[in-house]
mmCIF file of all heavy atoms in Angstrom:
data_model
loop_
_atom_site.group_PDB
_atom_site.id
_atom_site.type_symbol
_atom_site.label_atom_id
_atom_site.label_comp_id
_atom_site.label_asym_id
_atom_site.label_seq_id
_atom_site.Cartn_x
_atom_site.Cartn_y
_atom_site.Cartn_z
ATOM 1 N N MET A 135 -19.688 -4.702 20.574
ATOM 2 C CA MET A 135 -18.756 -4.048 19.648
ATOM 3 C C MET A 135 -17.926 -5.072 18.881
ATOM 4 O O MET A 135 -17.657 -4.951 17.702
ATOM 5 C CB MET A 135 -17.830 -3.097 20.391
ATOM 6 C CG MET A 135 -18.487 -1.851 20.918
ATOM 7 S SD MET A 135 -19.349 -0.981 19.560
ATOM 8 C CE MET A 135 -20.914 -0.584 20.316
ATOM 9 N N PHE A 136 -17.497 -6.115 19.584
ATOM 10 C CA PHE A 136 -16.739 -7.157 18.915
ATOM 11 C C PHE A 136 -17.573 -7.814 17.824
ATOM 12 O O PHE A 136 -17.055 -8.081 16.707
ATOM 13 C CB PHE A 136 -16.221 -8.225 19.921
ATOM 14 C CG PHE A 136 -14.818 -8.022 20.347
ATOM 15 C CD1 PHE A 136 -14.422 -6.789 20.866
ATOM 16 C CD2 PHE A 136 -13.871 -9.030 20.190
ATOM 17 C CE1 PHE A 136 -13.093 -6.579 21.232
ATOM 18 C CE2 PHE A 136 -12.540 -8.828 20.544
ATOM 19 C CZ PHE A 136 -12.152 -7.617 21.070
ATOM 20 N N GLU A 137 -18.840 -8.049 18.124
ATOM 21 C CA GLU A 137 -19.695 -8.670 17.090
ATOM 22 C C GLU A 137 -19.897 -7.720 15.913
ATOM 23 O O GLU A 137 -19.885 -8.132 14.753
ATOM 24 C CB GLU A 137 -21.032 -9.056 17.686
ATOM 25 C CG GLU A 137 -20.950 -10.388 18.402
ATOM 26 C CD GLU A 137 -22.124 -10.696 19.294
ATOM 27 O OE1 GLU A 137 -23.047 -9.848 19.391
ATOM 28 O OE2 GLU A 137 -22.149 -11.779 19.885
ATOM 29 N N LEU A 138 -20.002 -6.436 16.244
ATOM 30 C CA LEU A 138 -20.205 -5.434 15.212
ATOM 31 C C LEU A 138 -19.056 -5.406 14.203
ATOM 32 O O LEU A 138 -19.207 -5.259 13.021
ATOM 33 C CB LEU A 138 -20.374 -4.057 15.896
ATOM 34 C CG LEU A 138 -21.186 -3.015 15.169
ATOM 35 C CD1 LEU A 138 -22.571 -3.495 14.845
ATOM 36 C CD2 LEU A 138 -21.245 -1.769 16.028
ATOM 37 N N VAL A 139 -17.846 -5.471 14.730
ATOM 38 C CA VAL A 139 -16.674 -5.388 13.855
ATOM 39 C C VAL A 139 -16.220 -6.760 13.316
ATOM 40 O O VAL A 139 -15.248 -6.884 12.631
ATOM 41 C CB VAL A 139 -15.458 -4.699 14.518
ATOM 42 C CG1 VAL A 139 -15.813 -3.243 14.869
ATOM 43 C CG2 VAL A 139 -14.974 -5.472 15.689
ATOM 44 N N GLY A 140 -17.002 -7.818 13.697
ATOM 45 C CA GLY A 140 -16.695 -9.138 13.153
ATOM 46 C C GLY A 140 -15.580 -9.874 13.863
ATOM 47 O O GLY A 140 -14.837 -10.607 13.236
ATOM 48 N N LEU A 141 -15.439 -9.614 15.156
ATOM 49 C CA LEU A 141 -14.426 -10.381 15.934
ATOM 50 C C LEU A 141 -15.192 -11.304 16.918
ATOM 51 O O LEU A 141 -16.277 -10.949 17.371
ATOM 52 C CB LEU A 141 -13.559 -9.417 16.712
ATOM 53 C CG LEU A 141 -12.512 -8.608 15.989
ATOM 54 C CD1 LEU A 141 -11.891 -7.582 16.941
ATOM 55 C CD2 LEU A 141 -11.404 -9.504 15.413
ATOM 56 N N ASP A 142 -14.585 -12.391 17.195
ATOM 57 C CA ASP A 142 -15.151 -13.333 18.160
ATOM 58 C C ASP A 142 -15.039 -12.736 19.581
ATOM 59 O O ASP A 142 -13.923 -12.469 20.069
ATOM 60 C CB ASP A 142 -14.361 -14.640 18.080
ATOM 61 C CG ASP A 142 -14.862 -15.678 19.074
ATOM 62 O OD1 ASP A 142 -15.818 -15.358 19.859
ATOM 63 O OD2 ASP A 142 -14.304 -16.784 19.118
ATOM 64 N N PRO A 143 -16.204 -12.470 20.258
ATOM 65 C CA PRO A 143 -16.151 -11.820 21.578
ATOM 66 C C PRO A 143 -15.285 -12.559 22.577
ATOM 67 O O PRO A 143 -14.765 -11.958 23.539
ATOM 68 C CB PRO A 143 -17.613 -11.807 22.011
ATOM 69 C CG PRO A 143 -18.393 -11.904 20.767
ATOM 70 C CD PRO A 143 -17.569 -12.716 19.814
ATOM 71 N N GLU A 144 -15.134 -13.881 22.404
ATOM 72 C CA GLU A 144 -14.300 -14.650 23.316
ATOM 73 C C GLU A 144 -12.840 -14.248 23.296
ATOM 74 O O GLU A 144 -12.093 -14.531 24.230
ATOM 75 C CB GLU A 144 -14.439 -16.123 23.040
ATOM 76 C CG GLU A 144 -15.808 -16.665 23.487
ATOM 77 C CD GLU A 144 -15.952 -18.162 23.280
ATOM 78 O OE1 GLU A 144 -14.891 -18.792 22.981
ATOM 79 O OE2 GLU A 144 -17.059 -18.657 23.425
ATOM 80 N N ARG A 145 -12.488 -13.617 22.190
ATOM 81 C CA ARG A 145 -11.057 -13.188 22.042
ATOM 82 C C ARG A 145 -10.780 -11.843 22.706
ATOM 83 O O ARG A 145 -9.683 -11.346 22.683
ATOM 84 C CB ARG A 145 -10.644 -13.151 20.588
ATOM 85 C CG ARG A 145 -10.870 -14.441 19.844
ATOM 86 C CD ARG A 145 -9.671 -15.340 19.672
ATOM 87 N NE ARG A 145 -8.378 -14.765 19.677
ATOM 88 C CZ ARG A 145 -7.496 -14.850 18.670
ATOM 89 N NH1 ARG A 145 -7.856 -15.442 17.547
ATOM 90 N NH2 ARG A 145 -6.283 -14.393 18.775
ATOM 91 N N ALA A 146 -11.803 -11.261 23.365
ATOM 92 C CA ALA A 146 -11.620 -9.946 23.978
ATOM 93 C C ALA A 146 -10.597 -9.968 25.084
ATOM 94 O O ALA A 146 -10.008 -8.936 25.404
ATOM 95 C CB ALA A 146 -12.956 -9.412 24.482
ATOM 96 N N ASP A 147 -10.369 -11.149 25.682
ATOM 97 C CA ASP A 147 -9.414 -11.205 26.758
ATOM 98 C C ASP A 147 -7.978 -11.479 26.298
ATOM 99 O O ASP A 147 -7.079 -11.682 27.059
ATOM 100 C CB ASP A 147 -9.850 -12.297 27.772
ATOM 101 C CG ASP A 147 -11.132 -11.876 28.479
ATOM 102 O OD1 ASP A 147 -11.179 -10.716 28.949
ATOM 103 O OD2 ASP A 147 -12.100 -12.660 28.474
ATOM 104 N N ASP A 148 -7.779 -11.458 24.985
ATOM 105 C CA ASP A 148 -6.445 -11.586 24.434
ATOM 106 C C ASP A 148 -5.699 -10.252 24.531
ATOM 107 O O ASP A 148 -6.312 -9.205 24.645
ATOM 108 C CB ASP A 148 -6.516 -11.954 22.948
ATOM 109 C CG ASP A 148 -6.841 -13.451 22.756
ATOM 110 O OD1 ASP A 148 -7.062 -14.116 23.780
ATOM 111 O OD2 ASP A 148 -6.931 -13.883 21.599
ATOM 112 N N TYR A 149 -4.397 -10.354 24.464
ATOM 113 C CA TYR A 149 -3.562 -9.164 24.388
ATOM 114 C C TYR A 149 -3.383 -8.790 22.926
ATOM 115 O O TYR A 149 -3.450 -9.648 22.040
ATOM 116 C CB TYR A 149 -2.199 -9.451 25.064
ATOM 117 C CG TYR A 149 -2.318 -9.577 26.534
ATOM 118 C CD1 TYR A 149 -2.576 -10.824 27.162
ATOM 119 C CD2 TYR A 149 -2.205 -8.457 27.332
ATOM 120 C CE1 TYR A 149 -2.722 -10.925 28.528
ATOM 121 C CE2 TYR A 149 -2.339 -8.537 28.729
ATOM 122 C CZ TYR A 149 -2.608 -9.796 29.315
ATOM 123 O OH TYR A 149 -2.737 -9.894 30.655
ATOM 124 N N PRO A 150 -3.048 -7.503 22.682
ATOM 125 C CA PRO A 150 -2.927 -7.092 21.293
ATOM 126 C C PRO A 150 -1.978 -7.956 20.473
ATOM 127 O O PRO A 150 -2.224 -8.178 19.300
ATOM 128 C CB PRO A 150 -2.395 -5.649 21.385
ATOM 129 C CG PRO A 150 -2.926 -5.140 22.711
ATOM 130 C CD PRO A 150 -2.967 -6.383 23.608
ATOM 131 N N HIS A 151 -0.883 -8.431 21.044
ATOM 132 C CA HIS A 151 0.080 -9.164 20.217
ATOM 133 C C HIS A 151 -0.498 -10.532 19.723
ATOM 134 O O HIS A 151 0.063 -11.152 18.852
ATOM 135 C CB HIS A 151 1.419 -9.398 21.003
ATOM 136 C CG HIS A 151 1.343 -10.483 22.030
ATOM 137 N ND1 HIS A 151 1.003 -10.235 23.323
ATOM 138 C CD2 HIS A 151 1.531 -11.826 21.957
ATOM 139 C CE1 HIS A 151 1.005 -11.338 23.996
ATOM 140 N NE2 HIS A 151 1.344 -12.345 23.163
ATOM 141 N N GLN A 152 -1.572 -10.955 20.400
ATOM 142 C CA GLN A 152 -2.205 -12.230 19.973
ATOM 143 C C GLN A 152 -3.098 -12.065 18.761
ATOM 144 O O GLN A 152 -3.621 -13.035 18.229
ATOM 145 C CB GLN A 152 -2.962 -12.843 21.158
ATOM 146 C CG GLN A 152 -2.026 -13.311 22.298
ATOM 147 C CD GLN A 152 -2.796 -13.674 23.526
ATOM 148 O OE1 GLN A 152 -3.369 -12.807 24.177
ATOM 149 N NE2 GLN A 152 -2.811 -14.974 23.825
ATOM 150 N N PHE A 153 -3.290 -10.827 18.364
ATOM 151 C CA PHE A 153 -4.147 -10.508 17.234
ATOM 152 C C PHE A 153 -3.280 -10.300 15.967
ATOM 153 O O PHE A 153 -2.164 -9.818 16.067
ATOM 154 C CB PHE A 153 -4.944 -9.228 17.496
ATOM 155 C CG PHE A 153 -6.194 -9.452 18.293
ATOM 156 C CD1 PHE A 153 -6.374 -10.582 19.091
ATOM 157 C CD2 PHE A 153 -7.268 -8.557 18.191
ATOM 158 C CE1 PHE A 153 -7.538 -10.746 19.808
ATOM 159 C CE2 PHE A 153 -8.393 -8.713 18.922
ATOM 160 C CZ PHE A 153 -8.586 -9.796 19.722
ATOM 161 N N SER A 154 -3.859 -10.652 14.837
ATOM 162 C CA SER A 154 -3.196 -10.293 13.590
ATOM 163 C C SER A 154 -3.430 -8.810 13.298
ATOM 164 O O SER A 154 -4.240 -8.161 13.976
ATOM 165 C CB SER A 154 -3.787 -11.128 12.438
ATOM 166 O OG SER A 154 -5.077 -10.688 12.148
ATOM 167 N N GLY A 155 -2.744 -8.312 12.293
ATOM 168 C CA GLY A 155 -2.888 -6.874 11.981
ATOM 169 C C GLY A 155 -4.310 -6.466 11.687
ATOM 170 O O GLY A 155 -4.800 -5.441 12.182
ATOM 171 N N GLY A 156 -5.043 -7.246 10.944
ATOM 172 C CA GLY A 156 -6.427 -6.947 10.637
ATOM 173 C C GLY A 156 -7.337 -6.998 11.812
ATOM 174 O O GLY A 156 -8.226 -6.170 12.003
ATOM 175 N N MET A 157 -7.072 -7.967 12.729
ATOM 176 C CA MET A 157 -7.862 -8.076 13.929
ATOM 177 C C MET A 157 -7.605 -6.907 14.869
ATOM 178 O O MET A 157 -8.506 -6.360 15.498
ATOM 179 C CB MET A 157 -7.524 -9.390 14.667
ATOM 180 C CG MET A 157 -8.044 -10.639 13.947
ATOM 181 S SD MET A 157 -7.271 -12.127 14.595
ATOM 182 C CE MET A 157 -8.128 -12.311 16.149
ATOM 183 N N ARG A 158 -6.363 -6.500 14.932
ATOM 184 C CA ARG A 158 -5.996 -5.326 15.761
ATOM 185 C C ARG A 158 -6.723 -4.082 15.272
ATOM 186 O O ARG A 158 -7.224 -3.288 16.058
ATOM 187 C CB ARG A 158 -4.501 -5.076 15.718
ATOM 188 C CG ARG A 158 -3.804 -5.594 16.929
ATOM 189 C CD ARG A 158 -2.358 -5.258 16.871
ATOM 190 N NE ARG A 158 -1.629 -6.482 16.822
ATOM 191 C CZ ARG A 158 -0.635 -6.762 15.974
ATOM 192 N NH1 ARG A 158 -0.251 -5.894 15.081
ATOM 193 N NH2 ARG A 158 -0.018 -7.890 16.024
ATOM 194 N N GLN A 159 -6.733 -3.917 13.931
ATOM 195 C CA GLN A 159 -7.400 -2.740 13.407
ATOM 196 C C GLN A 159 -8.892 -2.790 13.703
ATOM 197 O O GLN A 159 -9.487 -1.757 14.016
ATOM 198 C CB GLN A 159 -7.117 -2.688 11.866
ATOM 199 C CG GLN A 159 -7.332 -1.320 11.246
ATOM 200 C CD GLN A 159 -6.414 -0.237 11.745
ATOM 201 O OE1 GLN A 159 -5.404 -0.500 12.431
ATOM 202 N NE2 GLN A 159 -6.678 0.975 11.434
ATOM 203 N N ARG A 160 -9.470 -3.966 13.673
ATOM 204 C CA ARG A 160 -10.861 -4.103 14.012
ATOM 205 C C ARG A 160 -11.127 -3.861 15.479
ATOM 206 O O ARG A 160 -12.113 -3.279 15.857
ATOM 207 C CB ARG A 160 -11.404 -5.457 13.561
ATOM 208 C CG ARG A 160 -11.682 -5.486 12.084
ATOM 209 C CD ARG A 160 -12.364 -6.741 11.643
ATOM 210 N NE ARG A 160 -11.413 -7.803 11.423
ATOM 211 C CZ ARG A 160 -11.760 -9.027 11.028
ATOM 212 N NH1 ARG A 160 -12.979 -9.333 10.833
ATOM 213 N NH2 ARG A 160 -10.813 -9.895 10.842
ATOM 214 N N ALA A 161 -10.164 -4.298 16.318
ATOM 215 C CA ALA A 161 -10.266 -4.041 17.754
ATOM 216 C C ALA A 161 -10.239 -2.545 18.038
ATOM 217 O O ALA A 161 -10.965 -2.002 18.840
ATOM 218 C CB ALA A 161 -9.172 -4.777 18.540
ATOM 219 N N MET A 162 -9.382 -1.868 17.280
ATOM 220 C CA MET A 162 -9.264 -0.407 17.387
ATOM 221 C C MET A 162 -10.571 0.239 17.001
ATOM 222 O O MET A 162 -11.002 1.186 17.676
ATOM 223 C CB MET A 162 -8.156 -0.012 16.392
ATOM 224 C CG MET A 162 -7.717 1.431 16.485
ATOM 225 S SD MET A 162 -6.907 1.821 18.021
ATOM 226 C CE MET A 162 -7.478 3.500 18.195
ATOM 227 N N ILE A 163 -11.240 -0.271 15.997
ATOM 228 C CA ILE A 163 -12.498 0.273 15.552
ATOM 229 C C ILE A 163 -13.546 -0.019 16.636
ATOM 230 O O ILE A 163 -14.358 0.887 16.979
ATOM 231 C CB ILE A 163 -12.939 -0.246 14.204
ATOM 232 C CG1 ILE A 163 -11.930 0.188 13.078
ATOM 233 C CG2 ILE A 163 -14.345 0.181 13.808
ATOM 234 C CD1 ILE A 163 -12.109 -0.438 11.758
ATOM 235 N N ALA A 164 -13.517 -1.206 17.209
ATOM 236 C CA ALA A 164 -14.466 -1.554 18.241
ATOM 237 C C ALA A 164 -14.302 -0.578 19.420
ATOM 238 O O ALA A 164 -15.298 -0.073 19.966
ATOM 239 C CB ALA A 164 -14.221 -2.986 18.745
ATOM 240 N N MET A 165 -13.086 -0.217 19.724
ATOM 241 C CA MET A 165 -12.826 0.701 20.825
ATOM 242 C C MET A 165 -13.319 2.104 20.481
ATOM 243 O O MET A 165 -13.912 2.764 21.309
ATOM 244 C CB MET A 165 -11.320 0.719 21.048
ATOM 245 C CG MET A 165 -10.921 1.214 22.405
ATOM 246 S SD MET A 165 -9.215 0.664 22.638
ATOM 247 C CE MET A 165 -8.582 2.053 23.444
ATOM 248 N N ALA A 166 -13.095 2.492 19.225
ATOM 249 C CA ALA A 166 -13.507 3.838 18.840
ATOM 250 C C ALA A 166 -15.028 3.950 18.835
ATOM 251 O O ALA A 166 -15.553 5.028 18.970
ATOM 252 C CB ALA A 166 -12.960 4.141 17.434
ATOM 253 N N LEU A 167 -15.701 2.818 18.674
ATOM 254 C CA LEU A 167 -17.142 2.831 18.583
ATOM 255 C C LEU A 167 -17.863 2.612 19.895
ATOM 256 O O LEU A 167 -19.061 2.858 20.028
ATOM 257 C CB LEU A 167 -17.634 1.750 17.583
ATOM 258 C CG LEU A 167 -17.253 1.902 16.136
ATOM 259 C CD1 LEU A 167 -17.637 0.648 15.394
ATOM 260 C CD2 LEU A 167 -17.961 3.085 15.567
ATOM 261 N N ALA A 168 -17.104 2.185 20.901
ATOM 262 C CA ALA A 168 -17.731 1.693 22.137
ATOM 263 C C ALA A 168 -18.663 2.735 22.730
ATOM 264 O O ALA A 168 -19.695 2.376 23.330
ATOM 265 C CB ALA A 168 -16.638 1.271 23.126
ATOM 266 N N LEU A 169 -18.324 3.981 22.652
ATOM 267 C CA LEU A 169 -19.161 5.006 23.273
ATOM 268 C C LEU A 169 -20.110 5.663 22.271
ATOM 269 O O LEU A 169 -20.656 6.718 22.530
ATOM 270 C CB LEU A 169 -18.276 6.059 23.935
ATOM 271 C CG LEU A 169 -17.434 5.499 25.099
ATOM 272 C CD1 LEU A 169 -16.247 6.398 25.430
ATOM 273 C CD2 LEU A 169 -18.313 5.291 26.298
ATOM 274 N N GLU A 170 -20.273 5.010 21.128
ATOM 275 C CA GLU A 170 -21.149 5.541 20.087
ATOM 276 C C GLU A 170 -20.921 7.016 19.785
ATOM 277 O O GLU A 170 -21.811 7.829 20.001
ATOM 278 C CB GLU A 170 -22.616 5.274 20.399
ATOM 279 C CG GLU A 170 -22.823 3.770 20.635
ATOM 280 C CD GLU A 170 -24.292 3.368 20.406
ATOM 281 O OE1 GLU A 170 -25.131 4.248 20.255
ATOM 282 O OE2 GLU A 170 -24.539 2.159 20.371
ATOM 283 N N PRO A 171 -19.749 7.369 19.350
ATOM 284 C CA PRO A 171 -19.469 8.742 19.097
ATOM 285 C C PRO A 171 -20.260 9.261 17.918
ATOM 286 O O PRO A 171 -20.648 8.477 17.066
ATOM 287 C CB PRO A 171 -17.951 8.706 18.739
ATOM 288 C CG PRO A 171 -17.755 7.357 18.119
ATOM 289 C CD PRO A 171 -18.646 6.452 18.900
ATOM 290 N N SER A 172 -20.487 10.554 17.873
ATOM 291 C CA SER A 172 -21.236 11.075 16.721
ATOM 292 C C SER A 172 -20.317 11.430 15.578
ATOM 293 O O SER A 172 -20.764 11.666 14.471
ATOM 294 C CB SER A 172 -22.097 12.250 17.160
ATOM 295 O OG SER A 172 -21.358 13.172 17.920
ATOM 296 N N LEU A 173 -18.985 11.519 15.865
ATOM 297 C CA LEU A 173 -18.046 11.787 14.788
ATOM 298 C C LEU A 173 -16.836 10.851 14.925
ATOM 299 O O LEU A 173 -16.239 10.746 15.995
ATOM 300 C CB LEU A 173 -17.598 13.271 14.866
ATOM 301 C CG LEU A 173 -16.426 13.653 13.926
ATOM 302 C CD1 LEU A 173 -16.841 13.504 12.445
ATOM 303 C CD2 LEU A 173 -16.019 15.099 14.193
#
Side-chain angles (χ1 to χ4, degrees):
Chain A
M135 289 304 136
F136 261 54
E137 278 167 357
L138 206 57
V139 298
L141 287 172
D142 179 0
E144 287 183 11
R145 305 260 335 238
D147 294 309
D148 283 2
Y149 289 89
H151 78 268
Q152 292 170 291
F153 276 23
S154 72
M157 290 166 75
R158 259 183 242 133
Q159 198 65 10
R160 281 187 276 182
M162 187 68 214
I163 294 172
M165 201 161 140
L167 293 172
L169 296 161
E170 304 203 351
S172 46
L173 172 62

